[in-house]
Amino acid sequence: MNFLVTGGAGFIGSAVCRRLARNPDHRVVNLDKLTYAGNLASLREIDNLSNYRFVRGDICDDSAVLDLLRAEKIDIVMHLAAESHVDRSIDGPAAFIETNIVGTFRLLNAALTYWRELPADARERFRFHHVSTDEVFGDLPFDSGIFTEETPYAPSSPYSASKAASDHLARAWHETYGLPVVLSNCSNNYGPYHFPEKLIPLVILNALDERPLPVYGNGANVRDWLYVEDHARALELVATRGVAGESYNIGGHAERTNLSVVETICDILDAKRPRRGGARYRDLITFVTDRPGHDRRYAIDSSKIERELGWQREVTFETGLARTIDWYLDNGWWWQPIRAERYAGERLGSKGAA
Ligand SMILES: NC(=O)c1ccc[n+]([C@@H]2O[C@H](COP(=O)([O-])OP(=O)(O)OC[C@H]3O[C@@H](n4cnc5c(N)ncnc54)[C@H](O)[C@@H]3O)[C@@H](O)[C@H]2O)c1
């Protein structure tokens, strides 16, 4: 199978590329613009493999994408390229509209032109996998409800609205033009190679620097945490075995409040890397002004992908979090340049909220 992974230098895309390229039967082409979030260092362990290739490019450039699809004889497009940070979407939504909506539209058009040129057996095999988020479903009450594939869309932020729009476009390209599209909507990912402005790496790295650990509001917002390698395995299944026209929810069976995530990181670090003088990392927790439009709770029902594609979460939240902390402790070569040059951990969230 020949895969085109868009956004393969990002957090989840790099996990997908590392996973796919380990299989010698796959060829993997990674198309990424290398925005602030893209990092080729995340691909160091595969970048000399003969079945992996990086191409720097923009998904909005549909003629370049079409040339690439033809030249590489792509069987499966896994579309992860996006502007992905909610707080950045509040400060500057334009890039989210451009990449997430217009970029997905252009990619779908290039894929459709290419797909129509394919011989019948290759058309049958072809998939366009659009990778999306549970944030398109909006806000759940603290004490009830769970997102299924049938939950109506109700996005709250410019980020989730742009992802909802791109989901609708992907579905429309299936319904209207017959392009074999599959979708997946996942919960919050965490794990190695996560950009240091996101909550879990931010807290780990600020703690190691003895800096404040910012928590929004009173820390009561709930997210369902999914280990990134479990997610990459699910994405491979959806892309290769998902039924065209279907969508699949992917969650980690790990609902936690933001405060409990931060406290758990503090407790693990107390054991692994004790502070001087017997101080505890929890003492660094600082509550900051809440994010505008902050959804209270996300919870995801993964039973469809479990039942139909045989996927199961393998990594519990406690195991995954300990593994992630160990990874950051051992891999300063990856995050130190980012903290020094691109994101120093000085703020959480939107400029308005901090
Ligand atoms: N991280 C999560 O918890 C999460 C949860 C649900 C869904 N998602 C979705 O999964 C996908 C990947 O998320 P992530 O966290 O890895 O994102 P990320 O921000 O880490 O990576 C995005 C990648 O896309 C690239 N990119 C951005 N604009 C581009 C363009 N115009 N052309 C080509 N490449 C471009 C960036 O350079 C970067 O490498 C996104 O579509 C996101 O919406 C993420």
Side-chain angles (χ1 to χ4, degrees), residues 6-14 30-39 55-61 79-85 95 98-100 103 130-135 159 163 166 184-190 193-195 197-198 225-226 228 231 235:
T6 73
F11 169 47
I12 303 172
S14 66
N30 170 6
L31 174 69
D32 197 294
K33 185 178 171 183
L34 297 183
T35 67
Y36 79 93
N39 190 347
V55 176
R56 187 168 191 176
D58 190 333
I59 56 164
C60 296
D61 184 350
H79 174 35
L80 293 97
E83 288 294 334
S84 70
H85 194 17
E98 188 59 26
T99 287
N100 300 1
H130 180 59
V131 176
S132 189
T133 169
D134 62 355
E135 300 193 28
Y159 163 68
K163 292 298 291 188
S166 59
S184 56
N185 297 80
C186 68
S187 57
N188 279 46
N189 282 224
Y190 70 102
Y193 301 102
H194 204 180
F195 193 75
E197 73 184 342
K198 301 283 176 108
W225 293 93
L226 171 64
V228 67
H231 186 210
L235 293 180

Coordinates of all heavy atoms in Angstrom, one line a residue, residues 6-14 30-39 55-61 79-85 95 98-100 103 130-135 159 163 166 184-190 193-195 197-198 225-226 228 231 235, ligand 1:
T6 N -0.7 13.5 5.3 CA -0.5 15.0 5.4 C -0.4 15.3 6.8 O -1.0 14.7 7.7 CB -1.7 15.7 4.8 OG1 -2.9 15.6 5.7 CG2 -2.1 15.2 3.4
G7 N 0.5 16.3 7.1 CA 0.8 16.7 8.5 C 1.6 15.7 9.2 O 1.5 15.6 10.5
G8 N 2.4 14.9 8.5 CA 3.2 13.8 9.1 C 4.3 14.3 10.0 O 5.0 13.5 10.6
A9 N 4.6 15.6 10.0 CA 5.6 16.1 10.9 C 5.0 16.6 12.2 O 5.8 17.2 13.1 CB 6.5 17.2 10.2
G10 N 3.7 16.5 12.3 CA 3.1 16.9 13.6 C 3.1 15.8 14.6 O 3.7 14.8 14.4
F11 N 2.3 16.1 15.7 CA 2.3 15.2 16.8 C 1.8 13.8 16.4 O 2.4 12.8 16.5 CB 1.5 15.8 18.0 CG 1.2 14.9 19.1 CD1 2.2 14.1 19.7 CD2 -0.1 14.9 19.6 CE1 1.8 13.3 20.8 CE2 -0.4 14.1 20.7 CZ 0.5 13.3 21.3
I12 N 0.5 13.8 16.0 CA -0.1 12.5 15.6 C 0.4 12.0 14.3 O 0.6 10.8 14.2 CB -1.7 12.6 15.6 CG1 -2.2 13.2 17.0 CG2 -2.3 11.3 15.3 CD1 -3.7 13.5 17.0
G13 N 0.5 12.9 13.3 CA 1.0 12.4 12.0 C 2.4 11.7 12.1 O 2.6 10.8 11.4
S14 N 3.2 12.2 13.0 CA 4.6 11.6 13.0 C 4.4 10.2 13.7 O 5.1 9.3 13.3 CB 5.6 12.4 13.8 OG 5.2 12.6 15.2
N30 N 5.2 11.6 3.3 CA 4.8 12.6 4.3 C 4.8 14.0 3.7 O 5.8 14.5 3.3 CB 5.7 12.5 5.5 CG 5.5 13.6 6.5 OD1 4.6 14.4 6.4 ND2 6.4 13.6 7.5
L31 N 3.6 14.5 3.5 CA 3.5 15.9 3.0 C 3.2 16.9 4.1 O 2.1 16.8 4.8 CB 2.3 16.0 1.9 CG 2.0 17.4 1.4 CD1 3.2 17.9 0.5 CD2 0.7 17.3 0.6
D32 N 4.1 17.8 4.4 CA 3.9 18.7 5.5 C 4.5 20.1 5.1 O 5.6 20.1 4.6 CB 4.6 18.1 6.7 CG 4.1 18.8 8.0 OD1 4.4 20.0 8.2 OD2 3.5 18.1 8.8
K33 N 3.8 21.1 5.6 CA 4.3 22.5 5.3 C 5.4 22.9 6.3 O 6.1 23.9 6.1 CB 3.1 23.4 5.4 CG 3.3 24.8 5.1 CD 1.9 25.5 5.2 CE 2.0 27.0 5.1 NZ 0.7 27.7 5.3
L34 N 5.5 22.2 7.4 CA 6.4 22.6 8.5 C 6.1 24.0 9.0 O 6.9 24.9 8.9 CB 7.9 22.5 8.1 CG 8.4 21.1 7.7 CD1 9.9 21.1 7.4 CD2 8.1 20.1 8.8
T35 N 4.9 24.1 9.6 CA 4.5 25.3 10.3 C 5.2 25.2 11.7 O 6.0 24.3 11.9 CB 3.0 25.3 10.6 OG1 2.7 24.2 11.5 CG2 2.2 25.2 9.3
Y36 N 4.9 26.1 12.6 CA 5.5 26.1 13.9 C 5.4 24.7 14.6 O 6.2 24.3 15.4 CB 4.9 27.2 14.8 CG 3.6 26.7 15.4 CD1 3.5 26.1 16.6 CD2 2.4 26.8 14.6 CE1 2.3 25.6 17.1 CE2 1.2 26.3 15.1 CZ 1.1 25.7 16.3 OH 0.0 25.2 16.8
A37 N 4.3 24.0 14.2 CA 4.0 22.7 14.9 C 4.7 21.5 14.2 O 4.7 20.4 14.8 CB 2.5 22.4 14.8
G38 N 5.2 21.7 13.0 CA 5.9 20.6 12.3 C 7.3 20.4 12.7 O 8.0 21.4 12.9
N39 N 7.8 19.2 12.9 CA 9.1 19.0 13.4 C 9.7 17.7 12.8 O 9.3 16.6 13.2 CB 9.1 18.9 14.9 CG 10.5 19.0 15.5 OD1 11.5 18.8 14.8 ND2 10.5 19.2 16.8
V55 N 8.1 15.2 1.9 CA 8.0 16.2 0.9 C 7.4 17.5 1.6 O 6.4 17.4 2.2 CB 7.0 15.8 -0.2 CG1 6.7 17.0 -1.2 CG2 7.4 14.6 -0.9
R56 N 8.2 18.6 1.5 CA 7.7 19.8 2.1 C 6.7 20.5 1.1 O 7.0 20.7 0.0 CB 8.8 20.8 2.4 CG 8.3 22.0 3.1 CD 9.4 22.8 3.7 NE 8.9 23.8 4.6 CZ 9.6 24.6 5.4 NH1 10.9 24.6 5.3 NH2 9.0 25.5 6.2
G57 N 5.5 20.7 1.6 CA 4.5 21.3 0.7 C 3.2 21.6 1.5 O 3.0 21.2 2.6
D58 N 2.3 22.4 0.8 CA 1.1 22.9 1.4 C -0.1 22.2 0.8 O -0.2 22.1 -0.4 CB 1.0 24.4 1.0 CG 0.0 25.1 1.8 OD1 -1.0 24.5 2.2 OD2 0.1 26.4 2.0
I59 N -1.0 21.7 1.7 CA -2.2 21.0 1.1 C -3.1 21.9 0.3 O -3.9 21.5 -0.5 CB -3.0 20.4 2.3 CG1 -3.4 21.4 3.3 CG2 -2.3 19.2 2.9 CD1 -4.6 20.9 4.2
C60 N -2.9 23.3 0.5 CA -3.7 24.2 -0.3 C -3.2 24.3 -1.8 O -3.9 24.8 -2.6 CB -3.6 25.6 0.3 SG -4.3 25.7 2.0
D61 N -2.0 23.7 -2.1 CA -1.5 23.7 -3.4 C -2.0 22.5 -4.2 O -1.3 21.5 -4.2 CB 0.0 23.8 -3.3 CG 0.7 23.9 -4.7 OD1 0.0 23.8 -5.7 OD2 1.9 24.1 -4.7
H79 N -5.3 12.2 6.0 CA -5.3 13.6 6.1 C -5.3 14.1 7.5 O -6.3 14.2 8.2 CB -6.4 14.2 5.3 CG -6.6 15.7 5.4 ND1 -5.5 16.5 5.5 CD2 -7.7 16.5 5.4 CE1 -5.9 17.8 5.5 NE2 -7.2 17.8 5.5
L80 N -4.1 14.5 8.0 CA -4.0 15.0 9.4 C -3.5 16.5 9.4 O -3.6 17.1 10.5 CB -3.0 14.2 10.2 CG -3.4 12.7 10.5 CD1 -2.8 11.8 9.5 CD2 -3.0 12.3 11.9
A81 N -3.0 17.0 8.3 CA -2.5 18.4 8.3 C -3.6 19.3 8.8 O -4.7 19.3 8.3 CB -2.0 18.8 6.9
A82 N -3.3 20.2 9.7 CA -4.3 21.1 10.3 C -3.6 22.1 11.2 O -2.5 21.9 11.6 CB -5.3 20.4 11.1
E83 N -4.3 23.2 11.4 CA -4.0 24.1 12.5 C -4.8 23.4 13.6 O -6.0 23.2 13.5 CB -4.4 25.5 12.3 CG -3.5 26.3 11.3 CD -2.1 26.5 11.8 OE1 -1.9 26.5 13.0 OE2 -1.2 26.6 10.9
S84 N -4.1 23.1 14.8 CA -4.7 22.2 15.7 C -4.9 22.8 17.1 O -5.5 22.1 18.0 CB -3.9 20.9 15.8 OG -2.7 21.2 16.5
H85 N -4.5 24.0 17.4 CA -4.5 24.5 18.8 C -5.7 25.4 19.0 O -5.7 26.5 18.5 CB -3.2 25.1 19.1 CG -3.0 25.3 20.6 ND1 -3.7 24.6 21.6 CD2 -2.1 26.0 21.3 CE1 -3.3 25.0 22.8 NE2 -2.4 25.9 22.6
A95 N -5.9 31.4 9.9 CA -5.1 30.2 9.4 C -5.9 28.9 9.5 O -5.6 28.0 8.8 CB -3.8 30.1 10.2
E98 N -8.1 28.8 6.5 CA -7.3 28.5 5.3 C -6.9 27.1 5.2 O -7.2 26.4 4.3 CB -6.1 29.5 5.3 CG -5.3 29.5 4.1 CD -6.1 29.9 2.8 OE1 -7.1 30.6 2.9 OE2 -5.7 29.4 1.7
T99 N -6.3 26.6 6.3 CA -5.7 25.2 6.2 C -6.8 24.2 6.4 O -7.0 23.2 5.6 CB -4.6 25.0 7.2 OG1 -3.5 25.7 6.7 CG2 -4.2 23.5 7.4
N100 N -7.6 24.3 7.5 CA -8.6 23.3 7.8 C -9.7 23.2 6.9 O -10.2 22.1 6.6 CB -9.0 23.4 9.3 CG -7.9 23.4 10.3 OD1 -6.7 23.3 9.9 ND2 -8.2 23.6 11.5
G103 N -7.9 24.2 2.8 CA -6.9 23.2 2.5 C -7.6 21.8 2.3 O -7.2 21.0 1.4
H130 N -10.1 11.2 6.5 CA -10.1 12.5 7.1 C -10.0 12.3 8.6 O -11.0 11.8 9.2 CB -11.3 13.3 6.7 CG -11.3 14.7 7.3 ND1 -10.3 15.6 7.1 CD2 -12.2 15.3 8.1 CE1 -10.6 16.7 7.8 NE2 -11.7 16.5 8.4
V131 N -9.0 12.9 9.2 CA -8.8 12.7 10.7 C -9.3 13.9 11.4 O -8.9 15.0 11.2 CB -7.3 12.5 11.0 CG1 -7.1 12.4 12.5 CG2 -6.8 11.2 10.3
S132 N -10.3 13.7 12.3 CA -10.9 14.8 13.0 C -11.0 14.6 14.5 O -10.4 13.7 15.0 CB -12.3 15.1 12.3 OG -12.9 16.3 12.8
T133 N -11.8 15.5 15.1 CA -11.8 15.6 16.5 C -13.2 15.4 17.1 O -14.2 15.7 16.5 CB -11.2 17.0 16.9 OG1 -11.4 17.2 18.3 CG2 -11.9 18.1 16.2
D134 N -13.2 15.0 18.4 CA -14.5 14.9 19.1 C -15.0 16.3 19.5 O -16.2 16.5 19.8 CB -14.4 14.1 20.4 CG -13.4 14.6 21.4 OD1 -12.7 15.6 21.2 OD2 -13.4 14.0 22.5
E135 N -14.1 17.4 19.3 CA -14.6 18.7 19.6 C -15.7 19.2 18.7 O -16.4 20.2 19.0 CB -13.4 19.7 19.6 CG -12.3 19.3 20.6 CD -11.3 20.3 20.9 OE1 -11.6 21.5 20.8 OE2 -10.2 20.0 21.2
Y159 N -11.5 26.7 16.1 CA -10.8 25.4 15.7 C -11.9 24.3 15.4 O -11.9 23.7 14.4 CB -9.9 24.9 16.8 CG -9.5 23.5 16.7 CD1 -8.7 23.0 15.6 CD2 -9.9 22.5 17.6 CE1 -8.3 21.7 15.5 CE2 -9.6 21.2 17.5 CZ -8.8 20.8 16.4 OH -8.4 19.4 16.2
K163 N -12.9 22.3 11.9 CA -12.8 20.9 11.8 C -14.2 20.3 11.4 O -14.3 19.4 10.6 CB -12.3 20.2 13.0 CG -10.9 20.5 13.4 CD -9.9 20.0 12.3 CE -9.8 18.5 12.2 NZ -8.6 18.1 11.3
S166 N -14.7 20.9 7.8 CA -13.9 20.0 6.9 C -14.5 18.6 6.9 O -14.5 17.9 5.9 CB -12.5 20.0 7.3 OG -12.3 19.6 8.6
S184 N -12.6 9.8 11.0 CA -12.5 9.4 12.4 C -12.5 10.7 13.3 O -12.0 11.7 12.9 CB -11.3 8.5 12.7 OG -10.1 9.2 12.3
N185 N -13.1 10.5 14.4 CA -13.2 11.7 15.4 C -12.6 11.1 16.7 O -13.2 10.2 17.3 CB -14.6 12.1 15.6 CG -15.2 12.7 14.3 OD1 -15.6 12.0 13.5 ND2 -15.2 14.0 14.2
C186 N -11.5 11.7 17.2 CA -10.9 11.2 18.4 C -10.9 12.2 19.5 O -11.1 13.4 19.3 CB -9.5 10.8 18.0 SG -8.4 12.2 17.7
S187 N -10.6 11.7 20.7 CA -10.5 12.5 21.9 C -9.0 13.1 22.0 O -8.2 12.9 21.1 CB -10.9 11.7 23.1 OG -10.1 10.6 23.2
N188 N -8.8 13.7 23.1 CA -7.4 14.4 23.3 C -6.3 13.3 23.3 O -6.4 12.4 24.1 CB -7.4 15.1 24.7 CG -8.1 16.4 24.6 OD1 -9.2 16.6 24.1 ND2 -7.4 17.4 25.2
N189 N -5.3 13.5 22.5 CA -4.2 12.7 22.5 C -3.1 13.2 23.4 O -3.0 14.4 23.6 CB -3.6 12.6 21.0 CG -4.3 11.8 20.1 OD1 -3.8 11.0 19.3 ND2 -5.7 11.9 20.1
Y190 N -2.2 12.2 23.8 CA -1.1 12.6 24.6 C 0.0 11.6 24.3 O -0.3 10.4 23.9 CB -1.4 12.7 26.1 CG -1.6 11.4 26.8 CD1 -0.6 10.8 27.5 CD2 -2.8 10.7 26.5 CE1 -0.9 9.5 28.1 CE2 -3.1 9.5 27.1 CZ -2.1 8.9 27.9 OH -2.3 7.7 28.4
Y193 N 6.6 13.3 21.8 CA 6.7 14.2 20.6 C 5.5 15.2 20.6 O 5.2 15.7 19.5 CB 6.8 13.5 19.3 CG 7.9 12.5 19.2 CD1 7.8 11.1 19.3 CD2 9.2 13.0 18.8 CE1 8.8 10.2 19.2 CE2 10.3 12.1 18.6 CZ 10.1 10.7 18.8 OH 11.1 9.9 18.6
H194 N 4.9 15.5 21.7 CA 3.8 16.4 21.8 C 4.3 17.8 22.0 O 5.1 18.1 22.9 CB 2.9 16.0 23.0 CG 1.5 16.5 22.9 ND1 0.6 16.2 23.9 CD2 0.8 17.1 21.9 CE1 -0.6 16.7 23.5 NE2 -0.5 17.3 22.3
F195 N 3.9 18.7 21.1 CA 4.4 20.1 21.1 C 4.3 20.7 22.5 O 3.2 20.6 23.1 CB 3.7 20.9 20.1 CG 4.3 22.2 19.8 CD1 5.5 22.3 19.0 CD2 3.8 23.4 20.3 CE1 6.1 23.5 18.7 CE2 4.5 24.6 20.0 CZ 5.6 24.7 19.2
E197 N 3.5 23.3 24.0 CA 2.5 24.2 24.5 C 1.2 23.5 24.9 O 0.3 24.1 25.5 CB 2.2 25.3 23.5 CG 1.3 24.9 22.3 CD 1.1 26.0 21.3 OE1 1.3 27.2 21.6 OE2 0.8 25.6 20.1
K198 N 1.0 22.2 24.6 CA -0.2 21.5 25.0 C -0.1 21.1 26.4 O 1.0 21.0 27.0 CB -0.4 20.3 24.1 CG -0.5 20.7 22.6 CD -1.8 21.2 22.2 CE -1.9 21.7 20.7 NZ -2.6 20.8 19.8
W225 N -8.6 11.1 27.6 CA -7.2 11.0 27.1 C -6.9 9.7 26.4 O -7.1 8.7 26.9 CB -6.3 11.3 28.3 CG -6.4 12.7 28.8 CD1 -7.2 13.1 29.8 CD2 -5.8 13.9 28.3 NE1 -7.2 14.5 30.0 CE2 -6.3 15.0 29.0 CE3 -4.9 14.1 27.2 CZ2 -5.9 16.3 28.8 CZ3 -4.5 15.4 27.0 CH2 -5.0 16.5 27.8
L226 N -6.3 9.9 25.2 CA -6.0 8.8 24.3 C -4.5 8.8 24.0 O -3.9 9.8 23.5 CB -6.8 9.0 23.0 CG -6.5 8.0 21.8 CD1 -6.9 6.6 22.2 CD2 -7.3 8.5 20.6
V228 N -1.2 8.4 22.1 CA -1.0 8.6 20.7 C -0.7 7.4 19.9 O -1.2 7.2 18.7 CB 0.0 9.7 20.4 CG1 1.4 9.3 20.8 CG2 -0.1 10.3 19.0
H231 N -3.8 5.6 19.2 CA -4.6 6.3 18.2 C -4.0 6.0 16.8 O -4.8 5.7 15.9 CB -4.5 7.8 18.5 CG -5.4 8.6 17.5 ND1 -5.1 9.9 17.2 CD2 -6.5 8.3 16.9 CE1 -6.0 10.3 16.4 NE2 -6.9 9.4 16.1
L235 N -6.0 4.6 13.6 CA -6.0 5.3 12.3 C -5.6 4.4 11.2 O -6.2 4.4 10.1 CB -5.1 6.5 12.4 CG -5.6 7.6 13.3 CD1 -4.6 8.8 13.3 CD2 -7.0 8.1 13.0
Ligands
LIG1 N1 -3.8 16.4 19.2 C1 -5.0 16.0 19.5 O1 -5.3 15.7 20.7 C2 -6.1 15.8 18.4 C3 -7.3 15.4 18.8 C4 -8.3 15.2 17.9 C5 -8.0 15.4 16.5 N2 -6.8 15.9 16.2 C6 -6.6 16.1 14.7 O2 -5.5 15.3 14.3 C7 -4.7 16.0 13.3 C8 -3.3 16.0 13.8 O3 -3.2 16.8 15.0 P1 -1.8 17.0 15.7 O4 -2.1 17.2 17.2 O5 -0.8 16.0 15.3 O6 -1.5 18.5 15.1 P2 -0.1 19.2 15.0 O7 -0.4 20.7 15.1 O8 0.9 18.6 16.0 O9 0.4 18.9 13.6 C9 -0.1 19.5 12.4 C10 0.8 19.3 11.3 O10 0.2 19.8 10.1 C11 1.2 20.6 9.3 N3 0.5 21.6 8.5 C12 -0.3 22.6 9.0 N4 -0.8 23.3 8.0 C13 -0.4 22.6 6.8 C14 -0.6 22.9 5.4 N5 -1.4 23.9 5.0 N6 -0.1 22.0 4.6 C15 0.6 20.9 5.0 N7 0.9 20.7 6.3 C16 0.4 21.5 7.2 C17 2.0 21.2 10.4 O11 3.3 21.6 9.9 C18 2.1 20.1 11.4 O12 3.2 19.2 11.2 C19 -5.4 17.3 13.1 O13 -6.2 17.3 12.0 C20 -6.2 17.6 14.4 O14 -7.3 18.4 14.1 C21 -5.8 16.1 17.1

